[in-house]
Amino acid sequence: MADIIKLLPDHVANQIAAGEVVQRPASVVKELMENSIDAQATEIQLIVKDSGKTLIQVVDNGMGMSGTDARLSFERHATSKIKSAEDLFNLHTKGFRGEALASIAAIAHVDLKTKQEDQELGSRLQIEGSKVISQDVFVTPKGTSISVKNLFFNIPARRNFLKSDAVETRHIIDEFHRIALAHPKIKFSMLHNDSKVFDLPVSNLRKRIVTIFGSKTNEKLVPVSEETEIVKVNGFVIKPEFSKRSRGEQFFFVNDRFVKCPYLHHALVSAYEGLIKEGAFPGYFLYLYLDTKSIDINIHPTKTEVKFDNEQAIYAMIRSTVKHSLGQFSIAPAIDFNTDVQLDTPYEYHGKKASQPTIEVDRNFNPFRSAPSKKSANPAWEAMYVGLNQEDKSLDLEEIKFESEEVTGKLFEGKKEETHKSTFQIHNKYIISPIKSGMLVIHQNLAHQRILYEEILKNITVKEALSQQLLFPISLNFSINEIEVLKQVKEQLEHTGFMMNFSKKDEIAISGIPVVMKEDRIQPVLEQIIKDIREEVPESGFSQNDLLARSMSKNMAIKTGTPLNGEEQEHLINQLFACKEPSVSPTNKPVMMTISSNDIDKKFN
Ligand code: ADP
Ligand code: MG
């Protein structure tokens, strides 16, 4: 047989490499900005059009390139940053593979203008899909400007794979944040569709964080600083009372490079143990400096993982340093004695009492006296109770009351204030209700989630939710990125009954909320939504609605641990059985279980 192996032509090899390096517009942003930093720029401008789908341009005032280097920079494995394999163990630059520009040029239209300080004239180079279109001498200021247009123009499948503008913009902003936070001494700006998104002057770390995440962030920061033989750590952690339900503000930098590090994240979580509520995440901006020889930055171009030689020592050090900082700046006395408590509330919520969520009760309803009303009840579940009434005509409310009183009387001495019990609650968590075949155990929190989920979903799709106007509109602070997420679902949120105004860049004004919601749930509900959307990135309208309804119901549902009186319990059961799918929670957990009389009988044999 003839030989069949061929070397791939360069442009094909580059396209394949591009698949790894460039996943989305944000990847191009990262590569170009990192190149500017490696080129020692002190000012870097990012210009984006249509979430990077039309244009991504990075302009810097760095060292520039000679005409020859400009041409070479687009060759694969062309880099000025390492010369030998040994250099790999002593990296001080962001890039080193020499693949980014070649990959980007393989899948986009690239226009490079660059000039070195001591050159009279610069160069301009245009490349489309790895093909050099033109190379000229060009008048341009010192530094480099690279425009990347029509990303994936020659790979329609990849182009179609891109997410909505809102999602891609969010990825770009995330990348921009990471780089800007790692380099407070560099001036950055970002323009999107001709409007200024960020303008970050040269500053210190604290100011950089505050400029990015909003002025209210300042009071939330606790400084962290420590140095041992193996590692130096500095930065800030967020005071526990401001921790959020979203994984938004968690930044580790190793030698000024953003990294993801679940292991060290865990060190933070453990330092905050007992200080924050379950489900909340600590916020942090921590900068680690170590000998480059003692770390292994994953060589994969887009991954941001890191391995440390002294993992355990670093873990222990971070944990204790953060604990120490939290203790030292301890926040509780500071609030009690030094500052006006009202200034520390997360939003303008002053002078209002926090209220326990309660549920409305239909006082006349009794599921055992009459079958649940035909128009709302779910037939299958109705049958469960109807059976109870039909088979045993003598089993009326009095008898059930007698039964449950006997039980409560014995097990919970002194808790007899409720006399009309046909259901009862145990551990402030489950509602027990007798049915024909035995008994039903309902998980109150999951049941309420199901009820709210169906109601919210109906409101979003039918678009006729009632809104309760707030007497005093509330303004809430979020980061610009979080605001982007909320904007993405603004319409759906309004259909649930929210009335919101996005007039400021890091603040939302809320003037109305869904009727089923209590005011003190606003912040947690919105945070939950942000977190869930970030984690799931829903695309279609339906899954977005579903996600919103899930987030909101999860957060608004009566919690485990909330005592419910008899009527509240019955009302909950009534509403649950009016649901389309009463037996599973919105997150697919069982809402209830039955224990049959047979099973109980067996236990006594
Ligand atoms: P790497 O960054 O891994 O070296 P790239 O493909 O990103 O590979 O860049 C190739 C080379 O082009 C770099 O090594 C650098 O010499 C040069 N270069 C790229 N961008 C710039 C820039 N903004 N300013 C100066 N030189 C640059
Ligand atoms: Mg690079």
Side-chain angles (χ1 to χ4, degrees):
M1 225 170 111
D3 298 335
I4 50 173
I5 295 181
K6 290 194 189 77
L7 278 179
L8 288 174
D10 271 355
H11 71 275
V12 179
N14 285 338
Q15 260 196 25
I16 294 171
E20 248 188 292
V21 181
V22 184
Q23 267 129 21
R24 49 174 19 121
S27 333
V28 175
V29 168
K30 172 174 188 279
E31 294 297 338
L32 296 184
M33 290 182 71
E34 289 190 343
N35 279 346
S36 299
I37 290 164
D38 285 343
Q40 283 149 29
T42 56
E43 192 174 336
I44 300 173
Q45 205 187 347
L46 170 66
I47 301 162
V48 174
K49 291 225 161 89
D50 303 322
S51 321
K53 293 170 186 171
T54 313
L55 170 76
I56 300 157
Q57 182 179 11
V58 172
V59 184
D60 69 47
N61 63 351
M63 61 173 67
M65 284 178 264
S66 69
T68 317
D69 279 358
R71 177 66 195 81
L72 256 183
S73 68
F74 289 97
E75 292 297 325
R76 205 137 69 95
H77 307 307
T79 178
S80 55
K81 298 169 195 173
I82 58 171
K83 294 186 176 67
S84 68
E86 264 149 61
D87 293 348
L88 275 177
F89 300 99
N90 196 17
L91 281 171
H92 293 283
T93 54
K94 310 270 166 190
F96 53 87
R97 295 164 51 103
E99 268 192 323
L101 290 187
S103 302
I104 293 167
I107 48 157
H109 297 173
V110 175
D111 189 348
L112 162 82
K113 294 163 195 158
T114 186
K115 187 180 93 72
Q116 292 175 315
E117 177 124 61
D118 56 1
Q119 287 176 321
E120 193 91 351
L121 287 170
S123 349
R124 177 177 187 185
L125 183 66
Q126 286 175 291
I127 302 188
E128 297 186 355
S130 297
K131 254 191 19 228
V132 178
I133 302 293
S134 71
Q135 176 159 21
D136 304 296
V137 172
F138 197 75
V139 179
T140 180
K142 176 207 164 196
T144 304
S145 152
I146 302 186
S147 314
V148 175
K149 291 184 188 153
N150 309 322
L151 190 66
F152 299 130
F153 79 98
N154 50 359
I155 318 181
R158 290 298 293 274
R159 204 174 161 85
N160 295 337
F161 197 67
L162 292 177
K163 302 271 166 96
S164 68
D165 278 5
V167 172
E168 295 301 343
T169 306
R170 211 164 70 226
H171 284 289
I172 290 177
I173 293 178
D174 277 341
E175 217 56 79
F176 181 88
H177 280 172
R178 292 166 182 179
I179 293 172
L181 285 169
H183 302 278
K185 293 272 173 283
I186 298 178
K187 177 172 159 46
F188 289 95
S189 63
M190 173 177 169
L191 277 177
H192 187 202
N193 293 337
D194 298 321
S195 65
K196 218 164 219 149
V197 187
F198 292 102
D199 201 355
L200 310 175
V202 174
S203 63
N204 60 26
L205 179 56
R206 183 178 202 117
K207 282 204 200 113
R208 177 59 51 96
I209 295 172
V210 171
T211 336
I212 293 178
F213 294 101
S215 52
K216 297 244 167 99
T217 318
N218 195 28
E219 59 186 286
K220 305 180 187 172
L221 300 175
V222 177
V224 173
S225 167
E226 181 65 288
E227 187 165 357
T228 68
E229 266 173 22
I230 49 170
V231 60
K232 179 174 165 238
V233 181
N234 65 46
F236 295 92
V237 292
I238 304 258
K239 291 180 187 170
E241 69 264 36
F242 296 109
S243 54
K244 294 188 180 174
R245 293 184 158 270
S246 71
R247 280 175 154 276
E249 283 140 30
Q250 285 141 354
F251 296 90
F252 274 120
F253 299 89
V254 170
N255 297 347
D256 291 334
R257 183 196 288 266
F258 171 81
V259 296
K260 287 191 184 125
C261 191
Y263 184 71
L264 293 189
H265 173 74
H266 191 268
L268 260 290
V269 172
S270 92
Y272 274 78
E273 214 167 60
L275 298 173
I276 53 179
K277 278 188 249 136
E278 210 186 312
F281 292 96
Y284 51 84
F285 305 85
L286 288 183
Y287 295 70
L288 280 63
Y289 296 93
L290 312 88
D291 185 346
T292 48
K293 293 190 187 70
S294 74
I295 51 174
D296 174 13
I297 297 270
N298 191 310
I299 306 208
H300 189 283
T302 56
K303 284 203 185 125
T304 41
E305 272 130 45
V306 64
K307 279 213 179 71
F308 304 97
D309 287 352
N310 302 301
E311 213 172 48
Q312 284 171 358
I314 297 173
Y315 181 104
M317 190 268 209
I318 290 193
R319 180 170 181 269
S320 72
T321 305
V322 170
K323 263 192 141 157
H324 179 78
S325 294
L326 289 175
Q328 194 172 35
F329 291 84
S330 179
I331 335 235
I335 289 174
D336 289 350
F337 308 115
N338 299 338
T339 62
D340 182 350
V341 178
Q342 296 195 335
L343 291 177
D344 281 289
T345 51
Y347 45 83
E348 287 159 28
Y349 203 57
H350 308 159
K352 291 183 201 164
K353 272 191 289 183
S355 58
Q356 270 272 355
T358 54
I359 52 176
E360 271 177 40
V361 171
D362 173 359
R363 296 188 175 271
N364 297 319
F365 179 78
N366 175 350
F368 300 100
R369 195 157 272 157
S370 58
S373 83
K374 286 279 184 287
K375 72 176 188 319
S376 63
N378 184 302
W381 295 102
E382 201 176 325
M384 232 171 177
Y385 284 92
V386 167
L388 187 69
N389 284 339
Q390 273 171 358
E391 268 212 0
D392 191 352
K393 294 230 162 45
S394 68
L395 188 72
D396 62 7
L397 186 70
E398 293 312 304
E399 193 168 351
I400 294 168
K401 185 187 103 191
F402 172 75
E403 279 175 3
S404 44
E405 266 197 332
E406 277 234 313
V407 176
T408 51
K410 276 177 197 140
L411 292 178
F412 311 100
E413 219 83 62
K415 268 200 135 193
K416 282 169 112 182
E417 64 277 13
E418 285 170 30
T419 44
H420 291 282
K421 272 192 170 166
S422 50
T423 60
F424 60 95
Q425 190 189 26
I426 54 170
H427 303 314
N428 289 340
K429 184 173 185 184
Y430 299 109
I431 299 170
I432 312 282
S433 160
I435 51 169
K436 177 194 158 200
S437 61
M439 67 186 193
L440 196 59
V441 183
I442 297 170
H443 191 289
Q444 69 185 42
N445 171 260
L446 295 176
H448 200 209
Q449 282 190 29
R450 164 52 65 180
I451 295 163
L452 290 170
Y453 170 80
E454 292 200 4
E455 181 162 348
I456 293 166
L457 199 60
K458 192 180 91 207
N459 288 341
I460 303 181
T461 37
V462 179
K463 304 181 179 156
E464 58 179 23
L466 293 175
S467 185
Q468 48 170 323
Q469 199 101 18
L470 296 179
L471 212 50
F472 306 98
I474 288 176
S475 45
L476 298 182
N477 272 90
F478 286 99
S479 73
I480 294 167
N481 223 4
E482 290 169 335
I483 299 260
E484 283 296 318
V485 176
L486 291 175
K487 276 187 184 161
Q488 199 188 331
V489 289
K490 175 173 190 273
E491 206 179 312
Q492 288 99 320
L493 282 172
E494 284 173 350
H495 291 148
T496 69
F498 272 104
M499 298 200 286
M500 49 211 324
N501 185 326
F502 290 91
S503 54
K504 292 194 192 149
K505 75 175 175 127
D506 58 356
E507 198 178 284
I508 341 175
I510 299 196
S511 54
I513 54 175
V515 267
V516 286
M517 191 161 163
K518 292 272 181 279
E519 262 182 74
D520 61 351
R521 301 311 299 163
I522 301 176
Q523 173 116 0
V525 161
L526 293 179
E527 282 177 4
Q528 182 83 45
I529 289 171
I530 293 168
K531 168 175 183 270
D532 290 349
I533 293 184
R534 279 191 167 153
E535 279 166 14
E536 285 193 34
V537 193
E539 279 313 298
S540 71
F542 171 74
S543 59
Q544 220 168 43
N545 293 346
D546 168 68
L547 184 143
L548 261 184
R550 253 188 293 141
S551 289
M552 290 175 68
S553 60
K554 201 167 16 177
N555 228 284
M556 287 157 54
I558 5 166
K559 301 275 174 286
T560 293
T562 311
L564 300 176
N565 67 32
E567 284 165 308
E568 288 167 338
Q569 294 167 29
E570 284 169 14
H571 185 64
L572 189 81
I573 295 179
N574 177 32
Q575 285 187 305
L576 179 66
F577 291 157
C579 285
K580 287 203 186 94
E581 259 188 276
S583 55
V584 286
S585 81
T587 46
N588 259 331
K589 292 184 190 143
V591 165
M592 60 181 100
M593 58 167 288
T594 52
I595 300 175
S596 72
S597 309
N598 272 346
D599 284 345
I600 301 174
D601 291 345
K602 275 188 216 144
K603 299 271 180 209
F604 292 98
N605 272 323

